[in-house]
Structures are given as structure tokens and as C-alpha cells.
């Protein structure tokens, strides 16, 4: 057997080994999502009454906070005493289908830090030592931003959007009776959209490290980015201005934070490059 063939076979085996390793990382990630989904499925009463349907009741934390805030400033405008809608299930399999869907969404949300850690374990060895050092804490920051976005979507964007849509009427004779699937899809879309959009600084960090982004480029296209953020907010939210602004405003803040992150990475890389040239 000649040498080139042996080297080619070793490279092929190495590639197959990498695929096998990736497969097990993915399997463990999916298994964690499945485990949390099963737990959520079994805890049906708590999940639906205390989590999913909580923003549809006036005793929800956000509504109580607004009411207390209104009392402190001497105004009852912020106090929400009636949401003015009912939730129904008009399909035979509607509640069961929503039970499964909610369980999967909660499974993904709860298992996201571990699932990302598994994928990161596969990616990290392929980085250069300096890249591994500079990306230290990636799992922590990705997880924190994801949780922050999820909580922001659940406690801020969702209740205000639900209150607005529930109270909107084109005629007083029309009653708002929402289907369960419509309510849950609105809630989950808003929460997950906020969760993933809060990852903007991390994405900018890695793009800057890869040389695909710079603070100058982000400043140059700031106006374009504002338009994109507003359009994106309009697409992923219900058709009301309040929801769009509630998502657009933190995204604009995160965009400015991302510019600072990109600037910091660029300065760090330039400093390291100058030190290497000195030696």
C-alpha cells in the first residue's frame, strides 16, 4: 500500500471520527431537550396555569407591578383590572397539540444552555489557542443573554402586547374570543424572538474576531440597521405598534452595545498585533 493512499485513508478516518463526535454532541443536546420537554409535559397543571396562561390573567406579576406603579404616582391608568377576552379551543385535538408544542418550547428554553455547551465543546478544539482564550466564557454569556431575552419577552413584551390586542375593538358589539393556538403561538413567538435577538452582542463578537465586522462598518450602516430592526420587529410581533417598539428599543440598545463590543475587540487585536511586531 503506497504512502499517499495511507495518508488519504488516515484523513478520511479523522473526518469520520469528527462526524461521529459531532453526532454524539447533537444526540446529547437533543436528549436534554427531550428530557426537559417530558418534565414540562408531565407538569401540565403548573406549566399552563402558572406560566402559559398567567399573562392572560390580571393577577400576573407585570400587571400587578403596573398597578402598584400607578398607585404610587397617583394614577389608575396603569392598573389593568380586566383583559376583556376569553381563550377557547375550537379544534378536537387543539389542547393536546398545544400541550405537546408548549412542552417542546419549554424543553428547548430550559435545555438551551446545556445544548449550546455541547455544541461549543465540539467547536472549541478547532479554534487556535488565542481564539480559545479570547472566547472564554462564551457559554456563560450566551446563556445569560438568552435568559434575559426570554424573561424580557415574557414579563414585558408579551403582557403589554396581549393587553393591547385584547382591548382593541373595531366595534363594541364584537367580543374577543381567542383560540388557544393563536394565544400560545403569539406568546411563544414573542418570548423566543426576544431570547434569540438578545444574542446580538455575542454574534457581533465572533463576527468581529473573524474579521467580518468592525465598529466602523456598524456605525456606517447604523441608519440601515435601524430600519432593518423596525421591519424585523414588525414581522415577528403582532400587528400593533406597541409590541414593535417594545422589541425594537432593546434591539437598538443592543446594537449600540455591540458597537462597543466590536470596538473593544478591534483594540485588543491591534494591541496584540503591535506586541507581536515588537518582538
Amino acid at each position: 500500500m503506497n504512502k499517499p493512499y495511507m495518508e488519504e485513508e488516515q484523513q478520511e478516518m479523522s473526518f469520520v471520527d469528527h462526524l461521529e463526535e459531532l453526532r454524539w454532541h447533537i444526540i446529547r443536546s437533543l436528549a436534554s431537550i427531550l428530557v426537559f420537554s417530558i418534565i414540562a409535559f408531565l407538569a401540565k397543571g403548573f406549566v399552563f396555569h402558572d406560566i402559559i396562561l398567567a399573562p392572560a390573567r390580571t393577577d400576573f406579576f407585570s400587571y400587578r407591578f403596573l398597578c402598584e406603579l400607578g398607585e404610587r404616582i397617583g394614577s389608575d391608568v396603569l392598573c389593568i383590572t380586566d383583559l376583556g377576552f376569553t381563550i377557547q379551543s375550537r379544534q378536537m385535538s387543539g389542547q393536546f397539540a398545544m400541550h405537546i408544542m408548549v412542552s417542546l418550547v419549554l424543553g428547548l428554553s430550559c435545555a438551551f444552555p446545556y445544548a449550546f455547551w455541547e455544541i461549543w465543546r465540539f467547536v472549541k478544539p478547532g479554534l487556535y489557542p488565542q481564539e480559545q482564550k479570547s472566547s472564554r466564557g462564551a457559554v456563560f454569556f450566551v446563556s445569560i443573554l438568552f435568559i434575559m431575552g426570554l424573561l424580557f419577552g415574557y414579563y414585558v413584551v408579551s403582557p403589554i402586547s396581549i393587553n393591547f390586542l385584547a382591548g382593541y375593538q373595531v366595534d363594541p358589539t364584537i367580543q374577543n374570543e381567542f383560540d388557544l393556538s393563536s394565544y400560545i403561538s403569539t406568546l411563544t413567538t414573542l418570548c423566543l424572538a426576544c431570547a434569540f435577538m438578545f444574542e446580538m452582542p455575542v454574534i457581533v463578537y465572533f463576527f468581529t474576531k473573524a474579521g467580518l465586522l468592525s465598529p466602523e462598518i456598524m456605525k456606517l450602516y447604523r441608519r440601515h440597521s435601524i430600519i432593518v430592526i423596525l421591519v424585523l420587529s414588525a414581522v415577528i410581533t403582532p400587528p400593533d405598534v406597541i409590541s414593535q417598539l417594545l422589541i425594537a428599543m432593546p434591539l437598538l440598545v443592543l446594537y449600540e452595545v455591540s458597537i462597543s463590543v466590536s470596538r473593544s475587540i478591534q483594540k485588543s487585536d491591534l494591541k496584540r498585533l503591535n506586541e507581536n511586531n515588537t518582538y
Side-chain angles (χ1 to χ4, degrees):
M1 186 178 294
N2 56 23
K3 186 175 181 181
Y5 180 80
M6 291 177 62
E7 291 179 352
E8 181 179 353
E9 184 179 6
Q10 290 176 355
Q11 291 177 358
E12 182 180 355
M13 288 298 295
S14 177
F15 177 71
V16 171
D17 290 341
H18 276 81
L19 285 181
E20 179 68 14
E21 184 181 356
L22 175 61
R23 184 172 76 91
W24 280 108
H25 283 294
I26 293 176
I27 288 175
R28 285 192 291 267
S29 299
L30 294 177
S32 66
I33 296 174
L34 180 61
V35 168
F36 279 104
S37 297
I38 293 174
I39 294 174
F41 187 86
L42 296 176
K44 177 178 65 175
F46 171 77
V47 166
F48 276 87
H49 184 269
D50 296 326
I51 298 179
I52 300 301
L53 297 177
R57 299 192 303 271
T58 55
D59 61 348
F60 185 56
F61 171 80
S62 301
Y63 302 138
R64 288 189 285 109
F65 175 79
L66 288 175
C67 194
E68 292 176 1
L69 180 63
E71 291 177 357
R72 291 183 179 181
I73 63 177
S75 174
D76 58 352
V77 177
L78 297 177
C79 196
I80 300 172
T81 58
D82 183 24
L83 292 174
F85 72 94
T86 58
I87 299 177
Q88 299 181 354
S89 180
R90 295 184 174 88
Q91 298 179 356
M92 183 71 71
S93 60
Q95 294 195 47
F96 181 70
M98 288 301 100
H99 189 189
I100 294 177
M101 184 189 125
V102 167
S103 299
L104 291 174
V105 171
L106 286 178
L108 171 63
S109 302
C110 295
F112 179 82
Y114 175 80
F116 180 79
W117 177 69
E118 279 289 349
I119 302 302
W120 181 248
R121 285 177 59 200
F122 174 78
V123 175
K124 188 176 180 180
L127 302 177
Y128 291 107
Q130 190 60 43
E131 292 175 337
Q132 293 184 11
K133 183 179 178 181
S134 61
S135 61
R136 188 178 301 165
V139 176
F140 172 78
F141 288 109
V142 168
S143 301
I144 288 296
L145 288 173
F146 181 86
I147 294 172
M148 288 175 58
L150 200 64
L151 294 177
F152 179 81
Y154 182 72
Y155 284 107
V156 179
V157 179
S158 295
I160 295 179
S161 301
I162 290 172
N163 178 56
F164 174 81
L165 295 175
Y168 189 85
Q169 287 182 309
V170 294
D171 189 271
T173 60
I174 301 176
Q175 296 182 351
N176 286 327
E177 298 178 352
F178 304 137
D179 190 73
L180 178 64
S181 60
S182 176
Y183 169 82
I184 290 179
S185 62
T186 300
L187 179 66
T188 54
T189 299
L190 290 173
C191 292
L192 289 179
C194 290
F196 286 110
M197 285 186 175
F198 267 55
E199 301 293 344
M200 184 188 299
V202 176
I203 296 173
V204 169
Y205 174 88
F206 285 107
F207 274 40
T208 303
K209 292 296 294 184
L212 302 176
L213 266 183
S214 68
E216 292 75 20
I217 293 177
M218 296 187 70
K219 289 179 181 178
L220 179 63
Y221 291 98
R222 180 186 273 120
R223 295 181 179 178
H224 303 79
S225 301
I226 293 174
I227 296 176
V228 171
I229 288 174
L230 291 174
V231 171
L232 188 61
S233 301
V235 170
I236 65 175
T237 59
D240 67 281
V241 179
I242 296 178
S243 300
Q244 296 170 15
L245 292 178
L246 282 174
I247 286 188
M249 291 303 294
L251 285 181
L252 293 174
V253 173
L254 286 172
Y255 187 84
E256 295 301 323
V257 171
S258 299
I259 293 178
S260 300
V261 170
S262 181
R263 186 187 300 113
S264 175
I265 295 302
Q266 189 180 64
K267 288 181 179 180
S268 178
D269 289 345
L270 287 175
K271 182 180 178 180
R272 189 180 301 108
L273 182 62
N274 292 332
E275 290 177 352
N276 292 335
N277 290 336
T278 302
Y279 292 109

